[in-house]
Amino acid sequence: MSKTATNLIHSIPVDPLTGAISVPIYQTSTFVQEAPGIHKGFDYTRTNNPTRKALEDVVAQLENGKVGVAFSSGLAAIDAVIKLLEIGDEILAVDDIYGGAFRLFTQIYAKFGIKVNYVDTTQTENVFNAITPTTKLIWIETPTNPTLKISDIEAIAKIAKANNCLLCVDNTFASPALQQPLGLGADIVIHSATKYLGGHSDLIAGLVITKDQTIGEKIKFIQNASGAVLSPFDSWLVIRGIETLPVRIQKHCENAQAVAAYLTTHPAVDKVYYPGLKSHVNHDIAVKQSKGFGGIVSFTLKNDTEEAATAFVRATQYFKLAESLGGVKSLLCHPAQMTHKSIPADKRKAAGIADSLIRLSVGLEDVDDLINDLENALQSYTRLINKKQTTIS
Ligand SMILES: *Cc1c(COP(=O)(O)O)cnc(C)c1O
């Protein structure tokens, strides 16, 4: 364990030019050349930049991959992977995929002749059965958002390999501190570095990491050709976030486990979704393929209505109502009215996103304060609902 953190911290290079312990921010668009084409390895920042390169090398190591490529958002990273495909190719994707990826697939790539099939990838045989000769890419997220379903990366990687297609894992929710898909057989990992890698809710960034040098070079080509590169300053911020990733994630996991355990005991709470609970449907796979269960906890209320959820999310003090996750400050969101609003109500419910489902991004505060905050909000929501019921009867 200690070796991982030491390796990570020391994989961030000391500046060879000046000895600066922090990676310098090369805030420049271009680099002076001695003669045409004769330069120090950098010619134009869209193509390559020393600060971004430091980040890309660090994340390649962090995910045990060959090539890391940094983009201006998680979606730009996803977009770059899809650009590996050609007209007529098919993607087989997890059914409760990140909404932005769904929008990108259906509203942008469908018109370029790329088809997507969605299946519940937690049942590995669904993947096996849905593969066709034109499937070129399997796309999974594990854990998923917001019900934290887990798919078996190793088993799906075997199916991908046997069928000559690539497996890409969106590793945003777990982070490489908990789960390393390339070691389990995946070909590509993507991150919204906006979340745990950045870790402080102060940037938007995306990463692609490949196991294979050739695929990595193709992604690097797409990065330069399409141009959605991460800026030098934001690259530096992500490096700075990554320095504390192991300790942050450890604390996120501890706090989330305690919050999940507390919620399971509360009479106003119905279901609790957290892979670290023995009651979670995919707990065994989570134990097998990850070192911990992450910082996201979702739950539903006994009073399964949007009104109840709204009353609850307005009553917390430390959990701030906002989209996104993975930062130092605890956040909560109501997927039915926020992140998953664009999904029709019946489809949303079929995916297990109940009207009252609330997603918590458990931050790094003292866990007693977080639990008190939830307790107070659950009490005030219960009072409000009871009052309503007495006035009705
Ligand atoms: C946020 C998120 C994305 C998109 O990342 P952006 O940085 O917002 O573009 C992709 N996948 C998952 C799982 C996410 O949570």
Side-chain angles (χ1 to χ4, degrees):
M1 289 284 121
S2 65
K3 280 190 175 159
T4 318
T6 310
N7 286 344
L8 165 61
I9 288 167
H10 289 275
S11 70
I12 297 165
V14 171
D15 180 40
L17 216 59
T18 62
I21 195 105
S22 165
V23 174
I25 304 168
Y26 284 90
Q27 191 68 37
T28 183
S29 59
T30 193
F31 300 82
V32 175
Q33 309 193 7
E34 241 173 74
I38 310 290
H39 53 70
K40 299 182 165 71
F42 300 94
D43 57 359
Y44 187 58
T45 279
R46 173 164 32 72
T47 314
N48 208 350
N49 174 281
T51 314
R52 197 170 65 233
K53 183 175 186 307
L55 168 65
E56 291 174 336
D57 291 348
V58 167
V59 295
Q61 272 200 46
L62 191 56
E63 282 286 6
N64 268 320
K66 274 262 157 49
V67 181
V69 192
F71 293 88
S72 54
S73 71
L75 269 172
I78 296 172
D79 182 73
V81 175
I82 307 310
K83 284 179 173 146
L84 291 171
L85 302 179
E86 284 173 24
I87 185 165
D89 287 350
E90 221 172 276
I91 305 169
L92 184 55
V94 59
D95 56 0
D96 55 352
I97 192 166
Y98 176 72
F102 180 78
R103 182 177 54 202
L104 178 69
F105 293 171
T106 50
Q107 296 192 46
I108 307 282
Y109 281 104
K111 68 182 180 200
F112 294 115
I114 289 169
K115 212 180 134 199
V116 189
N117 275 328
Y118 298 93
V119 296
D120 175 1
T121 57
T122 62
Q123 307 297 315
T124 305
E125 63 270 24
N126 290 344
V127 177
F128 182 81
N129 292 334
I131 285 226
T132 75
T134 48
T135 309
K136 291 289 153 59
L137 177 66
I138 299 176
W139 189 280
I140 62 171
E141 270 170 49
T142 183
T144 60
N145 176 25
T147 55
L148 305 161
K149 289 196 243 164
I150 312 280
S151 296
D152 188 334
I153 298 171
E154 202 169 12
I156 295 173
K158 282 189 185 135
I159 297 174
K161 189 154 270 156
N163 288 278
N164 255 327
C165 61
L166 298 171
L167 171 61
C168 179
V169 179
D170 183 335
N171 204 26
T172 299
F173 268 45
S175 96
L178 298 179
Q179 174 173 284
Q180 293 178 312
L182 300 181
L184 296 166
D187 302 285
I188 303 170
V189 162
I190 76 103
H191 279 281
S192 169
T194 310
K195 317 292 166 54
Y196 287 106
L197 292 176
H200 295 74
S201 307
D202 54 8
L203 61 93
I204 302 283
L207 298 164
V208 177
I209 302 102
T210 68
K211 191 164 60 182
D212 176 272
Q213 184 74 32
T214 315
I215 296 170
E217 276 160 18
K218 284 183 187 167
I219 296 286
K220 192 95 193 108
F221 176 84
I222 292 165
Q223 177 198 38
N224 181 50
S226 289
V229 293
L230 192 62
S231 73
F233 181 65
D234 286 348
S235 298
W236 181 84
L237 275 177
V238 179
I239 294 171
R240 187 182 161 105
I242 286 174
E243 287 178 326
T244 56
L245 181 72
V247 277
R248 280 189 292 106
I249 289 289
Q250 192 183 350
K251 179 76 172 161
H252 280 299
C253 289
E254 282 168 22
N255 282 1
Q257 187 80 42
V259 162
Y262 156 76
L263 288 170
T264 56
T265 64
H266 200 285
V269 170
D270 188 16
K271 293 194 186 72
V272 181
Y273 300 93
Y274 186 65
L277 294 174
K278 289 217 170 67
S279 58
H280 188 277
V281 278
N282 309 124
H283 176 70
D284 292 346
I285 307 169
V287 169
K288 191 185 87 172
Q289 71 185 15
S290 56
K291 287 187 216 147
F293 309 107
I296 308 296
V297 179
S298 296
F299 65 100
T300 60
L301 297 168
K302 283 262 167 67
N303 183 319
D304 186 30
T305 61
E306 286 198 1
E307 296 73 54
T310 305
F312 177 84
V313 298
R314 293 185 62 178
T316 53
Q317 178 194 352
Y318 295 127
F319 282 92
K320 302 293 185 194
L321 184 62
E323 300 199 0
S324 200
L325 55 108
V328 165
K329 276 189 186 144
S330 289
L331 300 179
L332 87 176
C333 95
H334 182 220
Q337 291 180 95
M338 296 167 72
T339 49
H340 292 64
K341 195 181 173 167
S342 61
I343 304 171
D346 52 330
K347 273 204 171 156
R348 210 162 55 215
K349 280 186 192 151
I353 304 166
D355 287 340
S356 69
L357 186 95
I358 291 157
R359 184 189 75 192
L360 305 176
S361 169
V362 181
L364 303 182
E365 298 91 339
D366 293 301
V367 74
D368 293 349
D369 291 330
L370 295 180
I371 289 174
N372 278 338
D373 194 23
L374 296 171
E375 175 68 33
N376 290 339
L378 283 165
Q379 271 176 25
S380 73
Y381 133 80
T382 311
R383 270 197 305 274
L384 200 96
I385 297 299
N386 286 345
K387 207 162 94 196
K388 252 196 181 162
Q389 275 167 353
T390 39
T391 46
I392 291 164
S393 61

